[in-house]
Amino acid sequence: MLSLPQRDTICINHLVLTVPLLSGAVWPKALGKATLQPVLISLSIPHGISSTASSDDLSHSINYSLLCSSLRDSLNDKIAPLETLEALSARIFDILLLRSSTDAPLVSEAHLKITQTRAPLNCKAVGVESRATSLPGNSWAADYVKHFCENLECSTIIGINPCEREERQIVRVNVSIERSESGVQRHNWVDFRSLARTLHEKIGKSSYQTLEALASYIAEETLNYLWNANPDPFLRTPFVSVGAAKPSAIVFASSSEIQIRRTYSDYPASFTRQLQSEPTHADRVTRTVALALGSNLGDRFFNIELALRLLEAPPVVLGISEDTVHVVDTSFMYESTPMYVTDQPSFINCACVIETNLMPLELLKLLKAIEITVGRVPSVRNGPRAVDLDIIFYAGAVIDTRESLQTELDDLEGELVVPHPRLAEREFVLKPLNDMIPDFIHPVLHQSVSALLAAVETPAKTGSMYKVIPFPQCPLPTNYVFPHTSVDVVPPTLTHWIYPSVHQPAHASRTAPWAPRETRVMATLNATPDSFSDGATHNTLPKALEYAQSAVAAGAGILDVGGYSTRPGAAFITPEEEISRVEPTIAAIHAAHPQLSISIDTFRPDVARAAISAGANCINDVYAFTGRGSYPFEETGDAAGGALKCMSAMKKVAREFAVPVVLMHSRGDAGSNKDYNAYGYAGPGETVSEGVRIELGRKVDLIVKGRGGVRRWLVIVDPGVGFSKTLGGNLEVLRDAAAITADVSVGSSKTQRNPLAGYPQLIGASRKSFLGVILEQGTGRKTEPKERGWATAAAVACAVQQGALVVRVHDLHEMIDVVHIANALW
Ligand SMILES: *[C@@H]1O[C@H](CO)[C@@H](O)[C@H](O)[C@H]1NC(C)=O
Ligand SMILES: *[C@@H]1O[C@H](CO)[C@@H](O)[C@H](O)[C@H]1NC(C)=O
């Protein structure tokens, strides 16, 4: 019956149930009145039978009789009427896959076929086939749905032979419809009765010579029917399979037969027209679309940021007044050597997910207009371009507007082929997509993005692609010309950092030519009178300048300026006071060292804004945008109000200036909340790391995803060594820092992808008190923060070995030496 995987399977075939159905196939249709109808249920359940086979004891297996009786008990003629066969499928999956029905055997996956035999006139059976798997949290999801209509019998003129065309003959037709989008919907998607009647009528009037032409016509008519019946055809591009047989064609065989499978893009003449037609208001449905962005000309980071901002301001380009595009997720940013033409600058590639109510060709028009606005110079194919925008996926749609399939795929001027036809061979598109939508199923290739990526990823090519973080120039240079009035000014780029696109274990060979793995140093400058480590050393302007000068000379990658100590028990200061400490310091340093990147260590939006206006180009926030004392972090309720308000204000600042942000894991006060027992499932030596992945991951998701999010490529995460962690917890996080951002599963059921997967890390262990505790335990000697330089050196070496992007240190000159040696080692 169903297509089965290569495993043991338990099947139940044609179990008869009689249920009240509201819709479906009865004749005459009793409007709104349920009719009792027999349905045949066929089930197949993957289930290892080896233990039952070897012991010959059914207690290891699924009890068939129990299974059938629980279905019969729950679904009988007394139940509330069911809307559709889909609703019945959903009920059966509830019974099989949810844990509430205690007496039913435990099943984690089921394939189900429901056949209705009192089918529409002229056809023998209609039904729905689907497959669902159980999910954590006592739910399930269907990943495959097929509707079918079997043995539709029509009489028509068909044949090449003139005498064959004198009389009508019988053709038998099977039509099945698969949706590329998953999920069993509880409402009616296909009205078999009206579809069967439509097809019967049309086939009766046709007079093709070949069965091939007839089958293709039936497929097209079915697609046409679906297109018209469905308010949003893009959301679920269907695949229609048609089997047609001419039982009386051949004397010595029972029939001649043909099987075909078609979708909208197979009939460009019929459906392209509809793709192009002016959408009516009702057609304006918001859909999720994946776009790829690339640039290899000029200020590449500026070009991409400008393109994204223009994308969200479409009225300028298209004259559409409603807001129509929202960027809701972004990937990491990658730099790679050009794939086809090699004597040009390297490419910056990234991707984003947008929500839009533009139709595919409108969106294409918008993207082309943006390419021109940003300054695309028409040039050699695959040659330099300021920005290149491509539609990769448009919901689950399969679209091809080419008149002839011969049109070259590389030269699609004005034409649209979605999913992008070159996707499967392009690592530089798949990688960014995999950052956002690894599980999305390609509607044509039927493979997930992560599987497609795995198929093209090669170590050599991976070595030639690395991730990038651009740092903007803040404040804007004087005389800076920004001609686009519809969007916030995009700052030009000051510098960018690169780091490996996949985490390389420390022992891996570093011989790949393009595998830069270099930990950078963040020097700290406290414009506070009470910082725990160097209180009052640098809080006068001349001293601050002197320190900045030495940081530049030593080769520090960035200078972190803070005006409000996070030391436990530090005195409260007002935002105004904080600004008055950092603003003049940053302005003076920026004036003296315009090429130096400066981060502002603050959790206050106003301070961040003032600091950036003075010359900072990065935000370092120990509360990850949720404000002070946000533990436990809530997303709803009163407590959430303050944290979310702070988050949205910080996001706004970060977005406006396009600055990188360092988001640290903390739980309110640094000294408290050290209990990670809630993550006990993660196993010893992993609980704190798991806590960081989940707690910081929730905040990072809220900051990156959704409307108004910070670009993923601008986020650096900090596991918060020394913040709300025990001595053991700090060591765990430091020793295994790479695990915090590894592409692993998290959560008690291990079904969620690590929300921090792939992010670069800042690690700040310098002079922290846990180092003092270890020294005291080992030597009996109490240490002041200043005396923990050697201890810090060991921690810094470990951070480098773990692949940290940047380490935050106080003993600048010494730690730069440590980092140089550690970089050379690992
Ligand atoms: C299967 O279930 C039926 C009905 O509950 C029960 O009578 C029978 O003993 C069960 N068989 C096994 C092997 O557990
Ligand atoms: C239609 O489906 C039925 C049941 O699966 C099968 O027996 C028959 O051969 C099919 N006919 C065609 C023309 O595909």
Side-chain angles (χ1 to χ4, degrees), residues 57-59 63 65-66 69:
D57 175 359
L58 200 58
S59 63
N63 184 336
S65 109
L66 196 55
S69 65

Side-chain angles (χ1 to χ4, degrees), residues 150-151 172-174 243-245 257-259:
E150 273 169 8
N151 285 321
R172 288 212 179 87
V173 175
N174 290 351
E257 241 181 71
I258 182 158
Q259 302 282 344

Side-chain angles (χ1 to χ4, degrees), residues 153 169 189 269 303 310 348 404 448 573 696 793:
E153 210 170 83
Q169 60 176 306
W189 190 67
N303 293 341
L310 289 171
I348 293 298
S404 124
S448 67
I573 60 164
L696 182 58

Side-chain angles (χ1 to χ4, degrees), residues 602-614:
T602 190
F603 57 88
R604 286 169 163 162
D606 293 347
V607 178
R609 180 178 290 275
I612 292 170
S613 307

Side-chain angles (χ1 to χ4, degrees), residues 482-488:
F482 184 78
H484 312 281
T485 50
S486 59
V487 296
D488 281 343

